[in-house]
Amino acid sequence: MKRKWVDLTVLFMAISILCGCSVWQTSDPYGLEDKTHSAVVPVQQTEEWWMPRHERVLERVAEGNVDLIMIGDSITHGWEEDSEALWDQYYAPRNAVNMGFSGDQTQHVLWRLENGEIDGINPKLAVVMIGTNNSNGDDNTAEEIADGIKAICARLRTELPKTKILILAIFPRGNEEEFEETEMAYTAMNDQWAKNNKASKLASKIADGKHMFYLDINDAFLNEKGQLTEEVMPDLLHPNEKGYQLWAEAMEPTIQELMGEK
């Protein structure tokens, strides 16, 4: 891992000299140099559809004209499947690219970023919402999930020095036991949800209000009792069309501000 951070710093310094951007003064901006756990080690997914989707993203990126990238897992991927009309309304006009891949953990996102998905582009904004799949069982601790998010942001910050980065708090969710309960209509705070909340808060510490920003819109998905219901996430994890509408509306003022639209 140590060599990775040195290489990233050299790359960032070279880019900074060429474009006149400020240079980070450390080779390990977020304290990840000695971290070797799974959430920060880039790796491919093995699902058959995954590499073809990656290749399609590479083709889209090669076309240029990218002002917004949305990075994440199935929750972000779902803009294409469950709410295409909302994507067309809010994000297609902003030359957005959907970089959400179902099942992705932070390490899979890192692999994608290191293998071409942000090459040759200069978006105004990158939205990052990742980590819920790392929270399954004993896969990763909250601290490790936060490390994975920080590693992604470090990669973005290094290769896209002019791009603002918006970290979204990991969305509320049910746990495995609740998914197996066929008549479950809602969930209140559970251990996995709490782990994700902790990871999000730890990751939020790198927000500086200049290049890195943090936004928690989780309350938008909850009812007056603080519960997540099937009305917005039928499986207590993935939004339906109403859930995506809530997401878009809650994020829109921040998107407008960070993209310089107001």
Side-chain angles (χ1 to χ4, degrees), residues 88-104:
D88 290 342
Q89 175 186 350
Y90 284 95
Y91 309 120
R94 289 167 163 144
N95 303 314
V97 177
N98 187 329
M99 296 182 180
F101 283 54
S102 294
D104 264 16

Side-chain angles (χ1 to χ4, degrees), residues 138-150:
D138 296 326
D139 284 2
N140 292 108
T141 65
E143 290 78 9
E144 290 171 345
I145 297 169
D147 287 344
I149 297 169
K150 292 176 184 178

Side-chain angles (χ1 to χ4, degrees), residues 116-130:
E117 290 196 5
I118 55 175
D119 288 359
I121 58 173
N122 185 29
K124 297 176 181 177
L125 179 64
V127 177
V128 178
M129 209 281 287
I130 190 70

Side-chain angles (χ1 to χ4, degrees), residues 89-222:
Q89 175 186 350
Y90 284 95
Y91 309 120
R94 289 167 163 144
N95 303 314
V97 177
N98 187 329
M99 296 182 180
F101 283 54
S102 294
D104 264 16
Q105 298 176 310
T106 55
Q107 55 265 40
H108 304 123
V109 173
L110 285 168
W111 188 94
R112 293 194 281 112
L113 297 183
E114 292 187 4
N115 285 273
E117 290 196 5
I118 55 175
D119 288 359
I121 58 173
N122 185 29
K124 297 176 181 177
L125 179 64
V127 177
V128 178
M129 209 281 287
I130 190 70
T132 197
N133 292 320
N134 294 80
S135 70
N136 292 325
D138 296 326
D139 284 2
N140 292 108
T141 65
E143 290 78 9
E144 290 171 345
I145 297 169
D147 287 344
I149 297 169
K150 292 176 184 178
I152 289 167
C153 291
R155 189 76 193 187
L156 292 169
R157 185 77 182 92
T158 299
E159 295 205 15
L160 304 176
K162 293 184 178 181
T163 299
K164 293 179 179 178
I165 301 168
L166 176 62
I167 304 169
L168 291 183
I170 302 169
F171 289 174
R173 62 169 295 166
N175 58 28
E176 184 175 353
E177 290 75 17
E178 289 164 333
F179 294 153
E180 293 173 353
E181 180 61 58
T182 56
E183 295 183 359
M184 173 65 70
Y186 70 91
T187 183
M189 181 73 72
N190 55 62
D191 290 344
Q192 191 168 10
W193 180 348
K195 182 196 286 190
N196 286 335
N197 279 358
K198 182 178 180 181
S200 296
K201 290 176 181 177
L202 290 170
S204 74
K205 294 180 180 180
I206 67 174
D208 59 12
K210 296 179 180 179
H211 303 102
M212 304 287 308
F213 302 83
Y214 176 74
L215 179 64
D216 184 343
I217 62 170
N218 288 358
D219 285 348
F221 301 110
L222 308 180

